[in-house]
Amino acid sequence: MSNVLKILKFPDPRLRKVAVPVEKFDKSLQNLADDMLELMYKENGIGLAATQVDRHIRLIVIDISEERDSPQIFVNPSFEVISDDSMLSFEEGCLSVPGFNEEIVRPDNIVLRWQDINGNEHIDSPSGLLTVCIQHEIDHLDGKLMVDYISPMKRDRIKKKLLKK
Ligand code: GNR
Ligand code: NI
């Protein structure tokens, strides 16, 4: 790895920063995406947002495949909820909140727009785990965490436990 990336852990205030759009699709963007994928695989995650490695640009990497052989890179991702009728409840984990899993409900029907590593635009309707994961990652880019969906009391307990480590 050209750059040593470390994953920020809740309640690090840097996880609350709002990431800015990517404007330059250059080699350094490709390098960061590659390093993030390497770290994501090393940590056995299915996704990683640049915010989690203290780079505050709108870049996420994902691999939801069992085989761990289908890396996906999303630059400047955004989504629209098509209908609130269909919600998906999923037990989520987060590399920035290690050791805690929480059941979180999110809209299931979304339209996703993003750019690839070369800046080309894409649009698609993801489903299932990808819908969950992409919303989890876009939350990171907006400074939002999984623990924001649970009760303040539970959140505080998790915070205290992680600060003791
Ligand atoms: O590895 C991860 N697993 C996961 C499981 C359910 C919902 C979302 C995720 S993402 C998480 C990695 C991570 O923290 N990404 O930000
Ligand atoms: Ni996360």
Side-chain angles (χ1 to χ4, degrees), residues 86-89 92 104-108 132 135-136 139 149:
S86 179
M87 304 292 281
L88 195 58
S89 178
E92 300 192 16
I104 293 177
V105 178
R106 299 184 188 270
D108 197 8
V132 171
Q135 289 181 61
H136 176 113
D139 271 352
Y149 294 91

Side-chain angles (χ1 to χ4, degrees), residues 42-108:
K42 187 178 138 228
E43 300 292 335
N44 297 313
I46 60 168
L48 190 66
T51 304
Q52 290 176 280
V53 293
D54 204 20
R55 304 301 190 86
H56 303 279
I57 60 169
R58 303 192 79 83
L59 166 67
I60 68 185
V61 297
I62 289 181
D63 188 340
I64 53 161
S65 72
E66 289 281 332
E67 301 78 17
R68 320 288 294 148
D69 61 359
S70 306
Q72 291 181 276
I73 297 169
F74 299 88
V75 183
N76 299 329
S78 68
F79 71 92
E80 250 178 274
V81 176
I82 305 170
S83 88
D84 280 324
D85 298 352
S86 179
M87 304 292 281
L88 195 58
S89 178
F90 202 88
E91 187 169 322
E92 300 192 16
C94 182
L95 294 171
S96 295
V97 192
F100 297 89
N101 294 291
E102 298 294 339
E103 197 77 25
I104 293 177
V105 178
R106 299 184 188 270
D108 197 8

Side-chain angles (χ1 to χ4, degrees), residues 3-165:
N3 248 305
V4 183
L5 299 180
K6 267 189 60 186
I7 297 178
L8 302 175
K9 306 283 157 62
F10 175 70
D12 193 307
R14 291 171 289 182
L15 286 168
R16 297 307 188 180
K17 289 192 183 181
V18 177
V20 300
V22 169
E23 284 173 1
K24 274 202 215 128
F25 293 81
D26 56 9
K27 192 82 185 101
S28 83
L29 182 70
Q30 175 71 255
N31 286 342
L32 178 58
D34 289 344
D35 288 351
M36 283 170 57
L37 280 165
E38 193 176 326
L39 183 58
M40 181 192 76
Y41 287 126
K42 187 178 138 228
E43 300 292 335
N44 297 313
I46 60 168
L48 190 66
T51 304
Q52 290 176 280
V53 293
D54 204 20
R55 304 301 190 86
H56 303 279
I57 60 169
R58 303 192 79 83
L59 166 67
I60 68 185
V61 297
I62 289 181
D63 188 340
I64 53 161
S65 72
E66 289 281 332
E67 301 78 17
R68 320 288 294 148
D69 61 359
S70 306
Q72 291 181 276
I73 297 169
F74 299 88
V75 183
N76 299 329
S78 68
F79 71 92
E80 250 178 274
V81 176
I82 305 170
S83 88
D84 280 324
D85 298 352
S86 179
M87 304 292 281
L88 195 58
S89 178
F90 202 88
E91 187 169 322
E92 300 192 16
C94 182
L95 294 171
S96 295
V97 192
F100 297 89
N101 294 291
E102 298 294 339
E103 197 77 25
I104 293 177
V105 178
R106 299 184 188 270
D108 197 8
N109 283 312
I110 65 169
V111 173
L112 180 71
R113 292 163 197 276
W114 75 97
Q115 285 168 279
D116 59 31
I117 200 71
N118 303 120
N120 300 312
E121 309 253 3
H122 299 268
I123 182 163
D124 197 9
S125 292
S127 65
L129 182 56
L130 185 56
T131 312
V132 171
C133 189
I134 206 102
Q135 289 181 61
H136 176 113
E137 304 309 339
I138 292 174
D139 271 352
H140 277 302
L141 301 182
D142 291 327
K144 193 161 182 191
L145 293 166
M146 203 178 82
V147 293
D148 299 343
Y149 294 91
I150 63 180
S151 79
M153 230 160 90
K154 230 169 152 185
R155 180 161 63 243
D156 219 55
R157 225 175 41 223
I158 293 174
K159 179 167 139 186
K160 288 192 175 117
K161 283 188 183 158
L162 287 175
L163 281 172
K164 262 193 234 151
K165 284 198 181 168

